């Protein structure tokens, strides 16, 4: 783990580079010891966390070595969360099939702060939270009471999700691995109760940070997350950071258009667009990130190797990606998701009925 971490701190360029130290990630090291690939294995496919971590001039050789090792082991390869550096290398390869996943918003940190301070709607959100007695501070690991409070807020947040807890690049259990991460907490000024927090992870080769999680508990008021992000990015700017991103917005309308060339993939993407919001609010997340007026939107891709149908994205790769995030069969994950969605809608219906009984004339 420490060997992988040191390589990330030296060469990590992909926004998700630090995620390879998350629990459950396997590590492959180049023969020369100067590169690492973080991946999980599902359906005879190595699903890579973003891209190989190495010096830029080494990327072509490391990709070739890793893919040859994977082939020798009988495994396919899918780079999930690949950005421009890897996509540019593989875009003309007849052996690799790309799939546009969406885009991630990016800023120079001082520009993010200027945007927040310059937009009346964003200033109003910050003031709303402050007027409700919310204060933000950076949390230093070691305070046991705070650690318990953060986990309570995390569990409250996870309980509201349409999907069961996912892992891989969206691992929720990062609080035990904060070596190089920074955590910012929102508290009530009176009593000091933690109501929300933000976890950020380094993107060392870009002198920047990824906002990995923004988590709010039941007691968080409107504007709390905006206040947290403003404080976190200000702290990054004060320390000389040059880059910040809020991470991937899946299926973002700001991402590259991708016309799937396989009929099965067209149907899957159409279904996700039509019904996916029951489990994950794609449009809401995209709109939330867009309101901070990013300087640019960086395309994010999945790139699969070894398609048997030319450059069409192979079904096995998509199945493997779902298994990587769910940590189980995609069929089982979907079944659990449906059960959670039904239970959630039942709770919402019960709450609406209780409200009507309590306030019959509203």
């Amino acid at each position: 783990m420490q060997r992988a971490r040191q390589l990330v701190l030296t060469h990590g360029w992909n926004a998700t580079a630090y995620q390879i130290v998350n629990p459950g990630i396997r590590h492959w090291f180049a023969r020369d010891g100067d590169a690492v690939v973080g991946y999980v294995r599902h359906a005879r496919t190595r699903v890579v966390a973003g891209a190989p971590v190495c010096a830029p001039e080494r990327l072509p050789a490391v990709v070739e070595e890793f893919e040859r090792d994977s082939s020798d082991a009988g495994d396919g390869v899918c780079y999930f969360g690949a950005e421009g550096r890897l996509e540019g290398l593989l875009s003309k390869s007849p052996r690799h099939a790309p799939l546009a996943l969406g885009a991630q918003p990016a800023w120079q940190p001082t520009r993010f702060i200027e945007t927040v301070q310059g937009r009346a709607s964003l200033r109003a959100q910050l003031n709303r939270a402050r007027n409700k007695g919310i204060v933000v501070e950076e949390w230093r690991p070691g305070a046991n009471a705070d650690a318990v409070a953060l986990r309570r807020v995390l569990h409250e947040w996870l309980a509201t999700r349409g999907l069961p807890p996912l892992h891989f690049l969206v691992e929720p259990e990062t609080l035990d691995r904060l070596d190089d991460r920074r955590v910012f907490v929102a508290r009530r000024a009176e009593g000091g109760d933690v109501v929300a927090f933000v976890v950020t992870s380094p993107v060392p080769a870009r002198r920047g940070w990824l906002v990995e999680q923004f988590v709010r508990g039941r007691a968080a008021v409107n504007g709390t997350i905006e206040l947290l992000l403003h404080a976190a990015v200000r702290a990054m700017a004060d320390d000389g950071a040059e880059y910040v991103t809020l991470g991937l917005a899946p299926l973002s309308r700001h991402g590259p258009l991708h016309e799937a060339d396989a009929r099965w993939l067209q149907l899957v993407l159409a279904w996700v667009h039509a019904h996916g919001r029951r489990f994950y609010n794609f449009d809401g997340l995209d709109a939330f990130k867009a309101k901070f007026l990013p300087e640019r939107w960086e395309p994010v891709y999945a790139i699969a190797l070894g398609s048997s149908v030319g450059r069409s994205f192979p079904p096995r790769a998509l199945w493997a990606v779902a298994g990587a995030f769910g940590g189980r069969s995609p069929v089982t994950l979907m079944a659990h998701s449906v059960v959670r969605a039904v239970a959630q809608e039942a709770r919402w219906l019960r709450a609406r009925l209780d409200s009507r009984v309590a306030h019959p004339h509203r």
Side-chain angles (χ1 to χ4, degrees):
M1 180 64 69
Q2 287 305 312
R3 184 182 174 193
R5 173 174 167 261
Q6 287 304 318
L7 285 168
V8 169
L9 294 179
T10 302
H11 300 298
W13 182 88
N14 220 71
T16 56
Y18 197 82
Q19 266 58 32
I20 74 168
V21 305
N22 283 350
I25 302 290
R26 301 185 185 188
H27 298 124
W28 173 93
F29 295 94
R31 283 191 305 269
D32 292 344
D34 61 346
V36 60
V37 176
Y39 71 95
V40 298
R41 185 176 184 274
H42 189 83
R44 294 184 295 111
T45 300
R46 296 182 183 184
V47 183
V48 175
V53 177
C54 61
E57 65 273 13
R58 284 276 288 142
L59 185 59
V62 171
V63 166
E64 181 179 355
E65 183 183 345
F66 174 70
E67 292 182 353
R68 184 169 58 249
D69 181 79
S70 301
S71 179
D72 290 346
D75 289 340
V77 173
C78 180
Y79 303 95
F80 188 93
E83 298 177 41
R85 182 178 286 181
L86 184 63
E87 193 274 337
L89 173 66
L90 301 179
S91 61
K92 303 300 183 182
S93 166
R95 301 171 57 239
H96 294 85
L99 175 65
L101 298 174
Q104 61 189 19
W107 299 260
Q108 206 275 348
T110 55
R111 292 294 298 275
F112 182 96
I113 299 301
E114 291 169 359
T115 296
V116 172
Q117 294 175 343
R119 292 200 75 189
S121 59
L122 290 174
R123 291 199 309 272
Q125 287 291 83
L126 303 190
N127 291 333
R128 184 174 291 115
R130 289 172 179 145
N131 292 339
K132 292 290 186 178
I134 301 299
V135 295
V136 174
E137 64 186 23
E138 186 166 3
W139 180 67
R140 305 294 181 182
N144 290 334
D146 277 351
V148 171
L150 291 178
R151 292 192 179 281
R152 171 185 53 76
V153 170
L154 176 62
H155 293 154
E156 289 177 358
W157 177 72
L158 289 174
T160 67
R161 304 296 90 188
L163 290 169
L166 301 179
H167 303 283
F168 191 42
L169 294 182
V170 290
E171 174 59 54
E173 297 293 343
T174 59
L175 295 176
D176 290 330
R177 302 197 180 193
L178 297 177
D179 294 333
D180 309 290
R181 290 175 162 110
R182 300 179 72 171
V183 180
F184 297 83
V185 300
R187 305 176 182 274
R188 291 190 178 277
E190 295 183 6
D193 293 336
V194 176
V195 297
F197 66 89
V198 160
V199 178
T200 68
S201 56
V203 188
R206 286 196 252 187
R207 291 181 53 82
W209 295 87
L210 163 70
V211 177
E212 189 176 347
Q213 292 178 313
F214 33 95
V215 178
R216 54 177 291 163
R218 289 192 293 266
V221 300
N222 288 341
T224 297
I225 296 299
E226 288 85 349
L227 188 63
L228 269 167
L229 292 175
H230 181 260
V233 177
R234 179 179 288 282
M236 296 169 191
D238 290 345
D239 290 341
E242 298 175 357
Y243 172 83
V244 64
T245 177
L246 298 187
L248 172 64
L251 305 181
S252 171
R253 59 188 177 89
H254 301 94
L257 295 176
H258 181 87
E259 295 296 334
D261 51 4
R263 179 60 178 166
W264 71 269
L265 187 52
Q266 292 176 5
L267 293 174
V268 168
L269 293 177
W271 186 92
V272 170
H273 274 287
H275 305 289
R277 69 184 58 189
R278 179 180 295 273
F279 308 104
Y280 191 98
N281 188 359
F282 298 104
D283 292 340
L285 182 63
D286 191 36
F288 175 81
K289 295 179 179 183
K291 75 180 181 180
F292 295 98
L293 302 182
E295 291 185 79
R296 63 189 178 277
W297 287 86
E298 300 172 341
V300 180
Y301 301 88
I303 305 173
L305 167 71
S307 169
S308 61
V309 285
R311 284 174 60 83
S312 295
F313 199 82
R316 187 176 82 174
L318 195 64
W319 185 266
V321 166
F325 278 93
R328 68 192 88 176
S329 162
V331 173
T332 303
L333 175 65
M334 183 57 66
H336 286 194
S337 301
V338 170
V339 170
R340 286 172 65 97
V342 170
Q344 182 70 275
E345 293 200 7
R347 288 193 293 271
W348 290 339
L349 177 60
R350 185 162 55 248
R352 288 196 295 269
L353 292 175
D354 290 345
S355 177
R356 289 180 181 178
V357 171
H359 308 283
H361 299 297
R362 281 189 178 183

